[in-house]
Structure formats: structure tokens, C-alpha cells
Amino acid sequence: MKVLLVLYDAGSHAKDEPKLLGCTENELGIRDWLESQGHTLVTTSSKDGADSVLDKEIVDADVVITTPFHPGYINKERIDKAKKLKICITAGVGSDHVDLDAANARDIAVLEVTGSNVQSVAEHVIMTMLVLVRNFVPAHEQIISGGWDVAAVAKDSYDLEGKVIGTVGGGRIGQRVLKRCKPFDPMEMLYYDYQAMPADVEKEIGCRRVESLEEMLSLCDVVTINCPLHASTKGLFNKELISHMKDGAWLVNTARGAICVTEDIVEALESGKIRGYGGDVWFPQPAPKDHPWRTMRNKYGGGNAMTPHISGTSIDAQGRYAEGTKKILEVFFSGKQDYRPQDIICINGHYGTKAYGDDKEHKEHQLK
Ligand code: NAD
């Protein structure tokens, strides 16, 4: 079978660290294993535009493996011309870069390595909250540039203790974020999700479910977005929804860039509606050089805690999603289809997860 693998290029970094598996040079460590079984592996970072290697090679690929970090967008047009495609595997978590409805229509399975980097993302969220709330970036910039102005930083620096923290999405990452917030003694921890957490998990974390997103946002000092990108979360954080947030709140988004409307975030930050925005996800990726989230700042010159898409691709996470990808391939090649249930996004023309939408259409197309 032909396996097409889309990853970022690492250049000399791949040699510096052989455990940097998620790059074109180290190929998730699967080349020898695949070739020993008679399969062909084509690896590329060229993924955008009609002349890309992805566009050329997908035509006769049986398997496509992509990551959210350097997403090969498997849209309907590409699915239509990939006549032999049987499975899309996401080496990581979050398969929104695949047109899931188009995959279902063609009975193409979509699998991901569920849970492989949820701890990595949760840690990044906690870091980003602290970086924003404590106003770390301007303080660090002062030090690098030879400055020393305590007041300039202190006037926009707060404590996480005593704040109300809320997550949009109370799944694997949302739960881990709240668990990690607990030792900071927040005033309250809230979540909004159409799927309630099990009662014992809610109790263990010490959080409360809020039925309306607008209501939750009106109560939170810090909001963290941890739901997938799908039809009803695309552009969810627009000017209207942001207007329900507390004035001067902080917003952390490590879920997907397109959940937030780019210009509305910039406007909210510059006007002071929100005090800070941080995260690691963008649309498109790689982010263009002139993407306004690179340089936006609040009125005091801070409030920006953006990074490239790194939260879920620590070296530890890469080991886990490389191993998980190999396991999915093993099941696929065996023909048994007995995947880990939690890894299934789409199978046999249906959604195998409830996380990609709660509308009628999704419910009808979910596995019973
Ligand atoms: P999960 O499936 O365990 O949890 C997602 C939760 O979001 C589910 O409980 C679902 O019901 C909920 N949800 C869906 N739509 C919602 C909506 N409209 N409003 C509120 N809640 C909604 O997934 P997870 O492992 O926690 O990952 C969540 C997302 O985080 C992924 O889909 C991916 O987009 C993102 N992610 C990012 C990185 C990164 O490196 N930045 C890494 C992993 C995952």
C-alpha cells in the first residue's frame, strides 16, 4: 500500500534530537517498519497549493497521515481525487483539517491518537494563563533589552488565585486544565459543554457546569477554549460572543485558531475588552508573516502570549503520537478494524465520536 505522510521539515534540528519524530527527516520512525512489509512511504512537507507534493501524491495513496502542527488540509477536492484513499490518520489530536463529512460520504476512515498530547496541551494552557495574568512577556522583553521598569509591568500584573476560570469544552484537555488550576485556589471553576462530565469527575475537580456559554463567559476572569473545531465552533468567538465576556478578562485558545475571528480578537485586545490573548493555534498554518496575532498588543504593550503550534508536540508527546500512529496502521493493515474506540473519528460512513458537533445532522450520523 502507498502511505503518504505530511510533516514539517526540521532540518538540522532533526539530527540534534532523533526523538523529534514528527518531522519529514525522522518520519515518525515508521519507514523501515513499513518498507519491511512491502509498503511504500512518501513523506513531504509540501502541502499547500495545487502544485504541492500532497496534491500530486494523494491521487493514488491508500493512507494519508497528517498532523495538526503542519496540517495537510484534506478538503473535499483532495478527497475527490484520492480514489484509492481508505484511511486518514491524524498523528496527534484534532482532525478538523480533514473534511469529515466528505470522508464519511466516501467511507474513508478517520482515526487519531486520542489522548496522546492532552497533558502537553494542558500544561501549555496553564503556562499561557500565568504568562498573561502575571504579565510575563513585557517583563522578559525589558530584561532582554537592558531595561528595568517595575511599575510598567506591575500595573497590568495580577494573581491567578481568587479568579474565576472557565473552559469551553470539558473533555480530556478541559478536565486536565481545570485539575491543574485547582492548586492555584481559584474562586470558582466552570465549564460549558453539551456533554456533561461524569458526576464523580466534576466532584473530584471541583467544577460546575454552566448551561449557557454567554452566562459562563460573563462570570469568568480567565477563559480557556478546549473544544474541537467544527461547523458550530468555527468563528464562535466573534465580536458578539466576546461582548458577553467580563471586561479585562484573559482568553487562552490552544484548540484551533479558526474558533476565534481574527480581527475581532485584535479589536477586543486593543480596545481593552480583553486584557490578553494567548495560545498556539492559527488559521491557516503556518501563520502568514503578517498575521495580526503575531504583533497585537493591549494598551499597555502586553497581552500577547502567542507561540507557533507547539503545545501538543513536545518530545514526550511525539513519542506517544508516533507509537499510536503505528498501532492504528497495524490494525488497518490487519483488516480487522478493531481500533481503540476512542481513536475513531469516522468509520463506515459515520462519526465514531460525539465531540464534533451536537446538531441534528451530526447526531443522525453518529455510531449508535
Ligand atoms: P475531547 O474530545 O476529549 O473533548 C472535547 C470536548 O469538547 C467534548 O467534551 C465535546 O463535547 C466538547 N465540545 C464540542 N463542541 C463543543 C461546543 N460547541 N461547545 C462546548 N464544548 C464542545 O478532546 P480533547 O482531547 O480535549 O481535545 C480538544 C481539542 O483540542 C481537539 O479537538 C483539538 O482541536 C485541540 N488540541 C490542540 C492541540 C494543540 O497542540 N494545540 C493538541 C491536542 C488537541
Side-chain angles (χ1 to χ4, degrees), residues 69 93-94 96 117-118 121 168-174 192-195 226-228 230 233 254-256 280-281 309 311-312 354-356:
F69 313 105
V93 173
D96 51 276
N117 54 16
V118 292
V121 179
V168 182
R172 293 171 182 84
I173 297 175
Y192 169 78
D193 195 321
Y194 55 76
Q195 300 192 80
N226 299 296
C227 59
H230 53 75
T233 58
T254 52
R256 285 295 176 261
D280 68 328
V281 284
H309 195 158
S311 71
K354 294 186 169 66
Y356 277 80

PDB file of all heavy atoms in Angstrom, residues 69 93-94 96 117-118 121 168-174 192-195 226-228 230 233 254-256 280-281 309 311-312 354-356, ligand 1:
ATOM      1  N   PHE A  69      -0.040  20.098  13.451  1.00  0.00           N
ATOM      2  CA  PHE A  69       1.017  21.108  13.629  1.00  0.00           C
ATOM      3  C   PHE A  69       1.435  21.723  12.294  1.00  0.00           C
ATOM      4  O   PHE A  69       1.819  22.880  12.217  1.00  0.00           O
ATOM      5  CB  PHE A  69       2.225  20.472  14.341  1.00  0.00           C
ATOM      6  CG  PHE A  69       1.781  19.677  15.533  1.00  0.00           C
ATOM      7  CD1 PHE A  69       1.770  18.289  15.504  1.00  0.00           C
ATOM      8  CD2 PHE A  69       1.277  20.322  16.647  1.00  0.00           C
ATOM      9  CE1 PHE A  69       1.301  17.561  16.578  1.00  0.00           C
ATOM     10  CE2 PHE A  69       0.798  19.598  17.727  1.00  0.00           C
ATOM     11  CZ  PHE A  69       0.808  18.214  17.691  1.00  0.00           C
ATOM     12  N   VAL A  93      -3.980  14.975  18.004  1.00  0.00           N
ATOM     13  CA  VAL A  93      -5.402  15.072  18.372  1.00  0.00           C
ATOM     14  C   VAL A  93      -6.014  16.276  17.650  1.00  0.00           C
ATOM     15  O   VAL A  93      -5.452  17.365  17.684  1.00  0.00           O
ATOM     16  CB  VAL A  93      -5.555  15.239  19.901  1.00  0.00           C
ATOM     17  CG1 VAL A  93      -7.015  15.501  20.266  1.00  0.00           C
ATOM     18  CG2 VAL A  93      -5.028  14.016  20.638  1.00  0.00           C
ATOM     19  N   GLY A  94      -7.194  16.072  17.039  1.00  0.00           N
ATOM     20  CA  GLY A  94      -7.866  17.168  16.330  1.00  0.00           C
ATOM     21  C   GLY A  94      -7.798  16.921  14.832  1.00  0.00           C
ATOM     22  O   GLY A  94      -6.753  17.120  14.224  1.00  0.00           O
ATOM     23  N   ASP A  96      -9.882  18.270  12.425  1.00  0.00           N
ATOM     24  CA  ASP A  96     -10.675  19.260  11.695  1.00  0.00           C
ATOM     25  C   ASP A  96     -10.057  19.637  10.357  1.00  0.00           C
ATOM     26  O   ASP A  96     -10.729  20.206   9.507  1.00  0.00           O
ATOM     27  CB  ASP A  96     -10.835  20.512  12.563  1.00  0.00           C
ATOM     28  CG  ASP A  96      -9.494  20.981  13.069  1.00  0.00           C
ATOM     29  OD1 ASP A  96      -9.020  20.464  14.107  1.00  0.00           O
ATOM     30  OD2 ASP A  96      -8.882  21.827  12.429  1.00  0.00           O
ATOM     31  N   ASN A 117      -1.558  13.806  23.461  1.00  0.00           N
ATOM     32  CA  ASN A 117      -0.849  15.029  23.873  1.00  0.00           C
ATOM     33  C   ASN A 117      -1.698  15.930  24.774  1.00  0.00           C
ATOM     34  O   ASN A 117      -1.402  17.112  24.915  1.00  0.00           O
ATOM     35  CB  ASN A 117      -0.339  15.790  22.642  1.00  0.00           C
ATOM     36  CG  ASN A 117      -1.442  16.078  21.635  1.00  0.00           C
ATOM     37  OD1 ASN A 117      -2.629  15.985  21.970  1.00  0.00           O
ATOM     38  ND2 ASN A 117      -1.072  16.432  20.426  1.00  0.00           N
ATOM     39  N   VAL A 118      -2.727  15.341  25.371  1.00  0.00           N
ATOM     40  CA  VAL A 118      -3.634  16.174  26.175  1.00  0.00           C
ATOM     41  C   VAL A 118      -2.943  16.770  27.408  1.00  0.00           C
ATOM     42  O   VAL A 118      -3.233  17.899  27.801  1.00  0.00           O
ATOM     43  CB  VAL A 118      -4.918  15.392  26.567  1.00  0.00           C
ATOM     44  CG1 VAL A 118      -5.759  15.109  25.332  1.00  0.00           C
ATOM     45  CG2 VAL A 118      -4.608  14.091  27.293  1.00  0.00           C
ATOM     46  N   VAL A 121      -0.817  19.744  26.178  1.00  0.00           N
ATOM     47  CA  VAL A 121      -1.610  20.949  25.921  1.00  0.00           C
ATOM     48  C   VAL A 121      -2.056  21.578  27.239  1.00  0.00           C
ATOM     49  O   VAL A 121      -1.977  22.795  27.420  1.00  0.00           O
ATOM     50  CB  VAL A 121      -2.826  20.632  25.020  1.00  0.00           C
ATOM     51  CG1 VAL A 121      -3.656  21.889  24.782  1.00  0.00           C
ATOM     52  CG2 VAL A 121      -2.379  20.035  23.701  1.00  0.00           C
ATOM     53  N   VAL A 168     -14.317  26.211  27.756  1.00  0.00           N
ATOM     54  CA  VAL A 168     -15.298  25.866  26.725  1.00  0.00           C
ATOM     55  C   VAL A 168     -14.865  24.503  26.199  1.00  0.00           C
ATOM     56  O   VAL A 168     -13.848  24.388  25.522  1.00  0.00           O
ATOM     57  CB  VAL A 168     -15.294  26.908  25.586  1.00  0.00           C
ATOM     58  CG1 VAL A 168     -16.366  26.553  24.550  1.00  0.00           C
ATOM     59  CG2 VAL A 168     -15.512  28.301  26.138  1.00  0.00           C
ATOM     60  N   GLY A 169     -15.585  23.460  26.591  1.00  0.00           N
ATOM     61  CA  GLY A 169     -15.163  22.081  26.300  1.00  0.00           C
ATOM     62  C   GLY A 169     -14.622  21.467  27.571  1.00  0.00           C
ATOM     63  O   GLY A 169     -13.633  21.956  28.127  1.00  0.00           O
ATOM     64  N   GLY A 170     -15.303  20.442  28.007  1.00  0.00           N
ATOM     65  CA  GLY A 170     -14.887  19.781  29.259  1.00  0.00           C
ATOM     66  C   GLY A 170     -14.459  18.348  29.014  1.00  0.00           C
ATOM     67  O   GLY A 170     -14.761  17.442  29.786  1.00  0.00           O
ATOM     68  N   GLY A 171     -13.739  18.136  27.905  1.00  0.00           N
ATOM     69  CA  GLY A 171     -13.245  16.800  27.573  1.00  0.00           C
ATOM     70  C   GLY A 171     -11.888  16.546  28.211  1.00  0.00           C
ATOM     71  O   GLY A 171     -11.594  17.040  29.303  1.00  0.00           O
ATOM     72  N   ARG A 172     -11.058  15.779  27.498  1.00  0.00           N
ATOM     73  CA  ARG A 172      -9.773  15.353  28.088  1.00  0.00           C
ATOM     74  C   ARG A 172      -8.903  16.541  28.470  1.00  0.00           C
ATOM     75  O   ARG A 172      -8.334  16.593  29.552  1.00  0.00           O
ATOM     76  CB  ARG A 172      -9.042  14.433  27.101  1.00  0.00           C
ATOM     77  CG  ARG A 172      -9.771  13.113  26.908  1.00  0.00           C
ATOM     78  CD  ARG A 172      -9.174  12.279  25.776  1.00  0.00           C
ATOM     79  NE  ARG A 172      -9.930  11.061  25.614  1.00  0.00           N
ATOM     80  CZ  ARG A 172     -11.067  10.970  24.891  1.00  0.00           C
ATOM     81  NH1 ARG A 172     -11.542  12.027  24.262  1.00  0.00           N
ATOM     82  NH2 ARG A 172     -11.705   9.817  24.806  1.00  0.00           N
ATOM     83  N   ILE A 173      -8.775  17.511  27.553  1.00  0.00           N
ATOM     84  CA  ILE A 173      -7.901  18.658  27.861  1.00  0.00           C
ATOM     85  C   ILE A 173      -8.579  19.578  28.867  1.00  0.00           C
ATOM     86  O   ILE A 173      -7.961  19.986  29.865  1.00  0.00           O
ATOM     87  CB  ILE A 173      -7.511  19.416  26.569  1.00  0.00           C
ATOM     88  CG1 ILE A 173      -6.698  18.498  25.655  1.00  0.00           C
ATOM     89  CG2 ILE A 173      -6.707  20.676  26.909  1.00  0.00           C
ATOM     90  CD1 ILE A 173      -6.356  19.083  24.296  1.00  0.00           C
ATOM     91  N   GLY A 174      -9.864  19.895  28.630  1.00  0.00           N
ATOM     92  CA  GLY A 174     -10.579  20.783  29.556  1.00  0.00           C
ATOM     93  C   GLY A 174     -10.489  20.291  30.995  1.00  0.00           C
ATOM     94  O   GLY A 174     -10.214  21.062  31.923  1.00  0.00           O
ATOM     95  N   TYR A 192     -18.406  24.783  30.098  1.00  0.00           N
ATOM     96  CA  TYR A 192     -19.561  24.760  29.203  1.00  0.00           C
ATOM     97  C   TYR A 192     -19.305  23.663  28.178  1.00  0.00           C
ATOM     98  O   TYR A 192     -18.267  23.654  27.499  1.00  0.00           O
ATOM     99  CB  TYR A 192     -19.726  26.105  28.489  1.00  0.00           C
ATOM    100  CG  TYR A 192     -20.731  26.033  27.370  1.00  0.00           C
ATOM    101  CD1 TYR A 192     -22.102  26.046  27.646  1.00  0.00           C
ATOM    102  CD2 TYR A 192     -20.329  25.892  26.043  1.00  0.00           C
ATOM    103  CE1 TYR A 192     -23.038  25.931  26.622  1.00  0.00           C
ATOM    104  CE2 TYR A 192     -21.254  25.780  25.019  1.00  0.00           C
ATOM    105  CZ  TYR A 192     -22.603  25.797  25.325  1.00  0.00           C
ATOM    106  OH  TYR A 192     -23.515  25.668  24.313  1.00  0.00           O
ATOM    107  N   ASP A 193     -20.212  22.711  28.094  1.00  0.00           N
ATOM    108  CA  ASP A 193     -20.072  21.591  27.147  1.00  0.00           C
ATOM    109  C   ASP A 193     -21.434  20.936  27.006  1.00  0.00           C
ATOM    110  O   ASP A 193     -22.145  20.780  28.001  1.00  0.00           O
ATOM    111  CB  ASP A 193     -19.050  20.569  27.697  1.00  0.00           C
ATOM    112  CG  ASP A 193     -18.573  19.576  26.633  1.00  0.00           C
ATOM    113  OD1 ASP A 193     -19.384  19.130  25.813  1.00  0.00           O
ATOM    114  OD2 ASP A 193     -17.366  19.246  26.658  1.00  0.00           O
ATOM    115  N   TYR A 194     -21.826  20.557  25.794  1.00  0.00           N
ATOM    116  CA  TYR A 194     -23.108  19.858  25.657  1.00  0.00           C
ATOM    117  C   TYR A 194     -23.032  18.446  26.226  1.00  0.00           C
ATOM    118  O   TYR A 194     -24.050  17.815  26.450  1.00  0.00           O
ATOM    119  CB  TYR A 194     -23.618  19.876  24.213  1.00  0.00           C
ATOM    120  CG  TYR A 194     -22.661  19.332  23.174  1.00  0.00           C
ATOM    121  CD1 TYR A 194     -22.454  17.965  23.024  1.00  0.00           C
ATOM    122  CD2 TYR A 194     -21.967  20.194  22.333  1.00  0.00           C
ATOM    123  CE1 TYR A 194     -21.585  17.469  22.073  1.00  0.00           C
ATOM    124  CE2 TYR A 194     -21.096  19.713  21.370  1.00  0.00           C
ATOM    125  CZ  TYR A 194     -20.906  18.346  21.246  1.00  0.00           C
ATOM    126  OH  TYR A 194     -20.033  17.867  20.302  1.00  0.00           O
ATOM    127  N   GLN A 195     -21.825  17.940  26.437  1.00  0.00           N
ATOM    128  CA  GLN A 195     -21.666  16.656  27.125  1.00  0.00           C
ATOM    129  C   GLN A 195     -21.201  16.950  28.550  1.00  0.00           C
ATOM    130  O   GLN A 195     -20.132  17.541  28.738  1.00  0.00           O
ATOM    131  CB  GLN A 195     -20.619  15.792  26.438  1.00  0.00           C
ATOM    132  CG  GLN A 195     -20.920  15.452  24.986  1.00  0.00           C
ATOM    133  CD  GLN A 195     -19.996  14.369  24.472  1.00  0.00           C
ATOM    134  OE1 GLN A 195     -20.197  13.185  24.733  1.00  0.00           O
ATOM    135  NE2 GLN A 195     -18.957  14.770  23.745  1.00  0.00           N
ATOM    136  N   ASN A 226     -11.236  24.642  24.761  1.00  0.00           N
ATOM    137  CA  ASN A 226     -10.744  23.263  24.638  1.00  0.00           C
ATOM    138  C   ASN A 226     -11.756  22.352  23.938  1.00  0.00           C
ATOM    139  O   ASN A 226     -11.932  21.201  24.340  1.00  0.00           O
ATOM    140  CB  ASN A 226     -10.415  22.711  26.035  1.00  0.00           C
ATOM    141  CG  ASN A 226      -9.335  23.517  26.713  1.00  0.00           C
ATOM    142  OD1 ASN A 226      -8.208  23.564  26.233  1.00  0.00           O
ATOM    143  ND2 ASN A 226      -9.672  24.198  27.802  1.00  0.00           N
ATOM    144  N   CYS A 227     -12.409  22.894  22.904  1.00  0.00           N
ATOM    145  CA  CYS A 227     -13.345  22.069  22.128  1.00  0.00           C
ATOM    146  C   CYS A 227     -12.799  21.931  20.706  1.00  0.00           C
ATOM    147  O   CYS A 227     -11.989  22.738  20.279  1.00  0.00           O
ATOM    148  CB  CYS A 227     -14.725  22.718  22.096  1.00  0.00           C
ATOM    149  SG  CYS A 227     -14.730  24.368  21.381  1.00  0.00           S
ATOM    150  N   PRO A 228     -13.233  20.911  19.974  1.00  0.00           N
ATOM    151  CA  PRO A 228     -12.766  20.784  18.587  1.00  0.00           C
ATOM    152  C   PRO A 228     -13.328  21.884  17.698  1.00  0.00           C
ATOM    153  O   PRO A 228     -14.326  22.528  18.044  1.00  0.00           O
ATOM    154  CB  PRO A 228     -13.324  19.418  18.147  1.00  0.00           C
ATOM    155  CG  PRO A 228     -13.733  18.714  19.386  1.00  0.00           C
ATOM    156  CD  PRO A 228     -14.089  19.777  20.377  1.00  0.00           C
ATOM    157  N   HIS A 230     -15.443  22.616  14.597  1.00  0.00           N
ATOM    158  CA  HIS A 230     -16.424  22.004  13.699  1.00  0.00           C
ATOM    159  C   HIS A 230     -17.415  23.091  13.303  1.00  0.00           C
ATOM    160  O   HIS A 230     -17.248  24.263  13.688  1.00  0.00           O
ATOM    161  CB  HIS A 230     -17.105  20.782  14.360  1.00  0.00           C
ATOM    162  CG  HIS A 230     -17.718  21.039  15.707  1.00  0.00           C
ATOM    163  ND1 HIS A 230     -18.902  21.720  15.869  1.00  0.00           N
ATOM    164  CD2 HIS A 230     -17.295  20.729  16.969  1.00  0.00           C
ATOM    165  CE1 HIS A 230     -19.198  21.794  17.160  1.00  0.00           C
ATOM    166  NE2 HIS A 230     -18.234  21.210  17.856  1.00  0.00           N
ATOM    167  N   THR A 233     -18.456  25.558  15.959  1.00  0.00           N
ATOM    168  CA  THR A 233     -17.448  26.307  16.739  1.00  0.00           C
ATOM    169  C   THR A 233     -16.592  27.202  15.837  1.00  0.00           C
ATOM    170  O   THR A 233     -15.808  28.009  16.334  1.00  0.00           O
ATOM    171  CB  THR A 233     -16.519  25.374  17.554  1.00  0.00           C
ATOM    172  OG1 THR A 233     -15.861  24.471  16.658  1.00  0.00           O
ATOM    173  CG2 THR A 233     -17.299  24.593  18.598  1.00  0.00           C
ATOM    174  N   THR A 254      -5.898  27.107  22.813  1.00  0.00           N
ATOM    175  CA  THR A 254      -4.968  26.119  22.254  1.00  0.00           C
ATOM    176  C   THR A 254      -5.749  25.072  21.466  1.00  0.00           C
ATOM    177  O   THR A 254      -5.214  24.016  21.141  1.00  0.00           O
ATOM    178  CB  THR A 254      -4.167  25.405  23.364  1.00  0.00           C
ATOM    179  OG1 THR A 254      -5.115  24.903  24.312  1.00  0.00           O
ATOM    180  CG2 THR A 254      -3.174  26.321  24.033  1.00  0.00           C
ATOM    181  N   ALA A 255      -7.046  25.379  21.192  1.00  0.00           N
ATOM    182  CA  ALA A 255      -7.887  24.385  20.497  1.00  0.00           C
ATOM    183  C   ALA A 255      -7.669  24.491  18.991  1.00  0.00           C
ATOM    184  O   ALA A 255      -6.953  23.660  18.415  1.00  0.00           O
ATOM    185  CB  ALA A 255      -9.344  24.565  20.891  1.00  0.00           C
ATOM    186  N   ARG A 256      -8.229  25.517  18.369  1.00  0.00           N
ATOM    187  CA  ARG A 256      -7.975  25.763  16.951  1.00  0.00           C
ATOM    188  C   ARG A 256      -8.154  27.252  16.671  1.00  0.00           C
ATOM    189  O   ARG A 256      -9.097  27.881  17.170  1.00  0.00           O
ATOM    190  CB  ARG A 256      -8.937  24.969  16.053  1.00  0.00           C
ATOM    191  CG  ARG A 256      -8.632  23.489  15.943  1.00  0.00           C
ATOM    192  CD  ARG A 256      -7.289  23.196  15.240  1.00  0.00           C
ATOM    193  NE  ARG A 256      -6.959  21.780  15.231  1.00  0.00           N
ATOM    194  CZ  ARG A 256      -6.126  21.179  16.090  1.00  0.00           C
ATOM    195  NH1 ARG A 256      -5.508  21.867  17.026  1.00  0.00           N
ATOM    196  NH2 ARG A 256      -5.883  19.881  15.986  1.00  0.00           N
ATOM    197  N   ASP A 280      -1.579  28.764  20.823  1.00  0.00           N
ATOM    198  CA  ASP A 280      -0.593  28.318  19.832  1.00  0.00           C
ATOM    199  C   ASP A 280      -1.219  27.920  18.508  1.00  0.00           C
ATOM    200  O   ASP A 280      -0.537  27.370  17.657  1.00  0.00           O
ATOM    201  CB  ASP A 280       0.218  27.142  20.381  1.00  0.00           C
ATOM    202  CG  ASP A 280      -0.607  25.881  20.552  1.00  0.00           C
ATOM    203  OD1 ASP A 280      -1.816  25.983  20.851  1.00  0.00           O
ATOM    204  OD2 ASP A 280      -0.047  24.783  20.395  1.00  0.00           O
ATOM    205  N   VAL A 281      -2.540  28.208  18.365  1.00  0.00           N
ATOM    206  CA  VAL A 281      -3.212  27.733  17.157  1.00  0.00           C
ATOM    207  C   VAL A 281      -3.666  28.897  16.286  1.00  0.00           C
ATOM    208  O   VAL A 281      -4.095  29.930  16.795  1.00  0.00           O
ATOM    209  CB  VAL A 281      -4.390  26.802  17.513  1.00  0.00           C
ATOM    210  CG1 VAL A 281      -3.882  25.429  17.931  1.00  0.00           C
ATOM    211  CG2 VAL A 281      -5.266  27.398  18.602  1.00  0.00           C
ATOM    212  N   HIS A 309       2.513  26.570  16.706  1.00  0.00           N
ATOM    213  CA  HIS A 309       1.715  25.428  17.190  1.00  0.00           C
ATOM    214  C   HIS A 309       2.627  24.384  17.860  1.00  0.00           C
ATOM    215  O   HIS A 309       3.027  23.395  17.251  1.00  0.00           O
ATOM    216  CB  HIS A 309       0.966  24.806  16.009  1.00  0.00           C
ATOM    217  CG  HIS A 309      -0.129  23.875  16.422  1.00  0.00           C
ATOM    218  ND1 HIS A 309      -1.171  23.554  15.605  1.00  0.00           N
ATOM    219  CD2 HIS A 309      -0.354  23.193  17.563  1.00  0.00           C
ATOM    220  CE1 HIS A 309      -1.991  22.717  16.224  1.00  0.00           C
ATOM    221  NE2 HIS A 309      -1.489  22.466  17.418  1.00  0.00           N
ATOM    222  N   SER A 311       2.127  23.345  21.445  1.00  0.00           N
ATOM    223  CA  SER A 311       1.731  22.805  22.753  1.00  0.00           C
ATOM    224  C   SER A 311       1.618  21.294  22.757  1.00  0.00           C
ATOM    225  O   SER A 311       2.032  20.635  23.702  1.00  0.00           O
ATOM    226  CB  SER A 311       0.418  23.451  23.223  1.00  0.00           C
ATOM    227  OG  SER A 311      -0.682  23.004  22.462  1.00  0.00           O
ATOM    228  N   GLY A 312       1.108  20.718  21.663  1.00  0.00           N
ATOM    229  CA  GLY A 312       0.902  19.271  21.658  1.00  0.00           C
ATOM    230  C   GLY A 312       2.025  18.493  21.006  1.00  0.00           C
ATOM    231  O   GLY A 312       1.862  17.313  20.687  1.00  0.00           O
ATOM    232  N   LYS A 354     -18.685  11.828  19.661  1.00  0.00           N
ATOM    233  CA  LYS A 354     -19.727  12.850  19.860  1.00  0.00           C
ATOM    234  C   LYS A 354     -19.113  14.243  19.993  1.00  0.00           C
ATOM    235  O   LYS A 354     -19.817  15.209  20.257  1.00  0.00           O
ATOM    236  CB  LYS A 354     -20.539  12.531  21.124  1.00  0.00           C
ATOM    237  CG  LYS A 354     -21.347  11.243  21.019  1.00  0.00           C
ATOM    238  CD  LYS A 354     -22.245  11.098  22.263  1.00  0.00           C
ATOM    239  CE  LYS A 354     -23.259   9.982  22.105  1.00  0.00           C
ATOM    240  NZ  LYS A 354     -22.685   8.644  22.019  1.00  0.00           N
ATOM    241  N   ALA A 355     -17.797  14.339  19.819  1.00  0.00           N
ATOM    242  CA  ALA A 355     -17.125  15.613  20.100  1.00  0.00           C
ATOM    243  C   ALA A 355     -17.166  16.605  18.942  1.00  0.00           C
ATOM    244  O   ALA A 355     -16.810  17.763  19.109  1.00  0.00           O
ATOM    245  CB  ALA A 355     -15.673  15.354  20.506  1.00  0.00           C
ATOM    246  N   TYR A 356     -17.597  16.150  17.745  1.00  0.00           N
ATOM    247  CA  TYR A 356     -17.536  17.034  16.581  1.00  0.00           C
ATOM    248  C   TYR A 356     -18.878  17.656  16.220  1.00  0.00           C
ATOM    249  O   TYR A 356     -19.133  17.976  15.077  1.00  0.00           O
ATOM    250  CB  TYR A 356     -16.916  16.305  15.387  1.00  0.00           C
ATOM    251  CG  TYR A 356     -15.409  16.347  15.451  1.00  0.00           C
ATOM    252  CD1 TYR A 356     -14.716  15.468  16.271  1.00  0.00           C
ATOM    253  CD2 TYR A 356     -14.682  17.305  14.754  1.00  0.00           C
ATOM    254  CE1 TYR A 356     -13.343  15.520  16.382  1.00  0.00           C
ATOM    255  CE2 TYR A 356     -13.307  17.367  14.853  1.00  0.00           C
ATOM    256  CZ  TYR A 356     -12.633  16.473  15.671  1.00  0.00           C
ATOM    257  OH  TYR A 356     -11.269  16.544  15.788  1.00  0.00           O
TER     258      TYR A 356
HETATM  259  P1  NAD B   1     -12.190  15.657  23.711  1.00  0.00           P
HETATM  260  O1  NAD B   1     -12.954  15.030  22.599  1.00  0.00           O
HETATM  261  O2  NAD B   1     -11.737  14.804  24.834  1.00  0.00           O
HETATM  262  O3  NAD B   1     -13.020  16.872  24.314  1.00  0.00           O
HETATM  263  C1  NAD B   1     -13.616  17.843  23.516  1.00  0.00           C
HETATM  264  C2  NAD B   1     -14.883  18.322  24.236  1.00  0.00           C
HETATM  265  O4  NAD B   1     -15.369  19.477  23.547  1.00  0.00           O
HETATM  266  C3  NAD B   1     -16.002  17.272  24.216  1.00  0.00           C
HETATM  267  O5  NAD B   1     -16.439  17.040  25.539  1.00  0.00           O
HETATM  268  C4  NAD B   1     -17.088  17.927  23.365  1.00  0.00           C
HETATM  269  O6  NAD B   1     -18.400  17.606  23.780  1.00  0.00           O
HETATM  270  C5  NAD B   1     -16.781  19.396  23.594  1.00  0.00           C
HETATM  271  N1  NAD B   1     -17.389  20.265  22.601  1.00  0.00           N
HETATM  272  C6  NAD B   1     -17.573  20.074  21.274  1.00  0.00           C
HETATM  273  N2  NAD B   1     -18.222  21.105  20.732  1.00  0.00           N
HETATM  274  C7  NAD B   1     -18.451  21.999  21.734  1.00  0.00           C
HETATM  275  C8  NAD B   1     -19.073  23.265  21.797  1.00  0.00           C
HETATM  276  N3  NAD B   1     -19.643  23.813  20.709  1.00  0.00           N
HETATM  277  N4  NAD B   1     -19.107  23.892  22.987  1.00  0.00           N
HETATM  278  C9  NAD B   1     -18.593  23.322  24.100  1.00  0.00           C
HETATM  279  N5  NAD B   1     -17.977  22.112  24.102  1.00  0.00           N
HETATM  280  C10 NAD B   1     -17.914  21.468  22.926  1.00  0.00           C
HETATM  281  O7  NAD B   1     -10.945  16.371  23.009  1.00  0.00           O
HETATM  282  P2  NAD B   1      -9.592  16.884  23.690  1.00  0.00           P
HETATM  283  O8  NAD B   1      -8.577  15.802  23.677  1.00  0.00           O
HETATM  284  O9  NAD B   1      -9.925  17.544  24.981  1.00  0.00           O
HETATM  285  O10 NAD B   1      -9.126  17.959  22.602  1.00  0.00           O
HETATM  286  C11 NAD B   1      -9.924  19.090  22.327  1.00  0.00           C
HETATM  287  C12 NAD B   1      -9.379  19.848  21.143  1.00  0.00           C
HETATM  288  O11 NAD B   1      -8.131  20.445  21.486  1.00  0.00           O
HETATM  289  C13 NAD B   1      -9.050  18.998  19.909  1.00  0.00           C
HETATM  290  O12 NAD B   1     -10.189  18.719  19.126  1.00  0.00           O
HETATM  291  C14 NAD B   1      -8.064  19.873  19.186  1.00  0.00           C
HETATM  292  O13 NAD B   1      -8.731  20.792  18.346  1.00  0.00           O
HETATM  293  C15 NAD B   1      -7.377  20.633  20.312  1.00  0.00           C
HETATM  294  N6  NAD B   1      -5.991  20.174  20.530  1.00  0.00           N
HETATM  295  C16 NAD B   1      -4.975  21.045  20.319  1.00  0.00           C
HETATM  296  C17 NAD B   1      -3.668  20.624  20.470  1.00  0.00           C
HETATM  297  C18 NAD B   1      -2.502  21.573  20.266  1.00  0.00           C
HETATM  298  O14 NAD B   1      -1.384  21.118  20.071  1.00  0.00           O
HETATM  299  N7  NAD B   1      -2.714  22.868  20.329  1.00  0.00           N
HETATM  300  C19 NAD B   1      -3.384  19.296  20.817  1.00  0.00           C
HETATM  301  C20 NAD B   1      -4.457  18.447  21.078  1.00  0.00           C
HETATM  302  C21 NAD B   1      -5.753  18.887  20.902  1.00  0.00           C
END
